[in-house]
Amino acid sequence: QVQLVDAGGGFVQPGGSLRLSCAASGGSFTSYTTAWFRQAPGKEREFVAAKRWSGGNTYYSDSVKGRSSISRNRGYSEAYLQIDNLQPEDTAVYYCAVGRPIQSSMASTRAYYYWGQGTQVTVSS
């Protein structure tokens, strides 16, 4: 069973950047899709970005498209989500997740098997 640990959140001023990490134990990302979701207070968990490592396809929500990217380490044991030009509306708990969704389900929480514990991102001046 894959276990995921989220890290890298914090407090940042508008316009700043963060790199969130997702560390896997008990397995690697090789045959999975790694995704990030976020949940702000009082709101539902929403899709942020995902990358299917086999084939290399990457998917971004409109909210972060053009200012975010996903990468990994050589051993496929850690994945990273870089978000630039952060704004107050990006404030949320960010969760990484792993699964094998079909393309039409890429943004669905139900398509992912394993989840990290989340890391808080707060953007404020």
Side-chain angles (χ1 to χ4, degrees):
Q1 182 173 350
V2 177
Q3 294 183 321
L4 305 176
V5 177
D6 285 301
F11 185 95
V12 62
Q13 293 187 335
S17 299
L18 280 176
R19 189 176 82 152
L20 307 181
S21 66
C22 178
S25 60
S28 70
F29 299 123
T30 311
S31 61
Y32 291 102
T33 293
T34 304
W36 273 265
F37 290 76
R38 66 186 183 187
Q39 189 165 18
K43 295 188 176 181
E44 293 188 353
R45 195 168 296 190
E46 66 173 5
F47 173 78
V48 177
K51 189 171 185 74
R52 179 177 287 146
W53 302 108
S54 172
N57 293 333
T58 311
Y59 307 83
Y60 298 102
S61 67
D62 289 341
S63 62
V64 300
K65 192 175 296 182
R67 59 188 181 96
S68 64
S69 61
I70 295 178
S71 60
R72 60 165 176 84
N73 68 351
R74 184 176 297 179
Y76 284 89
S77 63
E78 283 200 6
Y80 311 101
L81 173 68
Q82 172 87 22
I83 308 179
D84 300 319
N85 191 25
L86 285 159
Q87 299 299 319
E89 52 266 34
D90 293 314
T91 295
V93 177
Y94 285 70
Y95 300 87
C96 70
V98 159
R100 297 193 178 99
I102 58 175
Q103 186 167 341
S104 61
S105 299
M106 197 66 62
S108 171
T109 58
R110 289 176 288 182
Y112 295 88
Y113 316 141
Y114 307 112
W115 290 81
Q117 84 287 0
T119 185
Q120 175 71 47
V121 172
T122 302
V123 185
S124 176
S125 56

